Structure formats: structure tokens, C-alpha cells
Amino acid sequence: MAFSERALRYLGSTRNIVGSCLALLGLVAHFLGLAGAYWPVVVVALYGAGALLTPPDRVRLTISHAEVETRALREDLDGLLRRIDGRFPDDVRAAVHGLAEVIGGVLARAEQLTASPTSSTWSRRPSAATCPPAWRRTRTCPAATP
């Protein structure tokens, strides 16, 4: 992790925010005449006390971007499939539904696809069990292995 990244992470941390707020209170105390001649020491001491006594940030679990984006894409795909039903000839609908199966398979594996390209799931060829039906019509799927 680069130094600048660590510095930016600290600037947004709870410890820095609490220390900065206490340091601002020290400045307010100086302007009100409460801190005296040693106001720079008071400001630095208040910042240090706030930064040291504040508990560390908790780990925050977030939803992966892939999950959020795939949900919206799947809803859009389902809406598109509903709109084409009854409006186009059967061969066009069959082709669009075949493409939707392939896209649905990709969306179902979005977490694996966002993983590092060096991971084992990335470089593996699809097995006969995971080969989408539309792909089977246009490509050769690997034979099932026992």
C-alpha cells in the first residue's frame, strides 16, 4: 500500500475527524480568551487526545458492486424479454431468448468473473454441466467428465 493511499485513508478516519473537531474547539477556546498564551500546545494536545482515545474504525461490510449491478442488469434483461414477446416473429424471439440465456449465465457468475484473472475459476473451460443451452447450439461444449 502506497504512502499516499495510507495518508488519504487516515484523513477520512474517525480518529482524524474526532481529533480535528477537538482541535477546532481549542481554537474556539483561544478566540474566546480561554486558552491563554499556550494555545498552540492546547490545540495540538486536544488533537492528540482525540486521535488517540477514539476507538479504531470498525470493519464495514459492503455489498459487492457486481451483485448490485447484476441485479439491475437482470431486471433490465427480464423487462426486455417481456417487451419482445408477441411483437416479433418466433425465430427472432428464439434468438433473443438464446442470447438472454447466455447473458443470464454470465450475470449468474459475476462474482467469479470479477475475480483476479490468475484465479483457477477464471482460466477453466466450461464443463458440460455449466455450458448454456444457447452455447451448445453454436459451439462445441466439453464432454462430461466423471
Side-chain angles (χ1 to χ4, degrees), residues 19-36 38-40 42-44 46-47:
S20 298
C21 289
L22 288 178
L24 284 175
L25 285 176
L27 281 175
V28 169
H30 166 67
F31 291 130
L32 293 176
L34 302 175
Y38 297 108
W39 68 269
V42 172
V43 170
V44 170
L46 285 173
Y47 176 83

Side-chain angles (χ1 to χ4, degrees), residues 85-110:
D85 285 339
R87 289 184 167 182
F88 293 97
D90 291 336
D91 59 335
V92 173
R93 280 189 285 156
V96 172
H97 280 282
L99 287 172
E101 286 179 24
V102 173
I103 294 171
V106 170
L107 292 176
R109 295 184 0 191

Side-chain angles (χ1 to χ4, degrees), residues 5-140:
E5 187 176 331
R6 285 192 307 235
L8 287 175
R9 185 176 293 162
Y10 179 74
L11 288 176
S13 71
T14 306
R15 289 180 177 216
N16 183 47
I17 293 171
V18 170
S20 298
C21 289
L22 288 178
L24 284 175
L25 285 176
L27 281 175
V28 169
H30 166 67
F31 291 130
L32 293 176
L34 302 175
Y38 297 108
W39 68 269
V41 175
V42 172
V43 170
V44 170
L46 285 173
Y47 176 83
L52 291 175
L53 296 177
T54 303
D57 290 336
R58 294 182 179 172
V59 175
R60 294 185 180 105
L61 299 177
T62 60
I63 297 174
S64 166
H65 295 295
E67 291 176 12
V68 174
E69 291 176 8
T70 55
R71 186 178 314 124
L73 289 173
R74 186 172 297 280
E75 289 171 3
D76 290 343
L77 181 63
D78 292 340
L80 174 68
L81 292 175
R82 282 191 300 273
R83 283 195 311 255
I84 68 159
D85 285 339
R87 289 184 167 182
F88 293 97
D90 291 336
D91 59 335
V92 173
R93 280 189 285 156
V96 172
H97 280 282
L99 287 172
E101 286 179 24
V102 173
I103 294 171
V106 170
L107 292 176
R109 295 184 0 191
E111 287 296 325
Q112 291 175 350
L113 295 175
T114 58
S116 170
T118 59
S119 68
S120 62
T121 58
W122 180 267
S123 59
R124 265 195 317 217
R125 290 183 49 129
S127 67
T130 62
C131 189
W135 199 20
R136 287 186 205 131
R137 290 191 291 268
T138 59
R139 292 181 179 82
T140 305

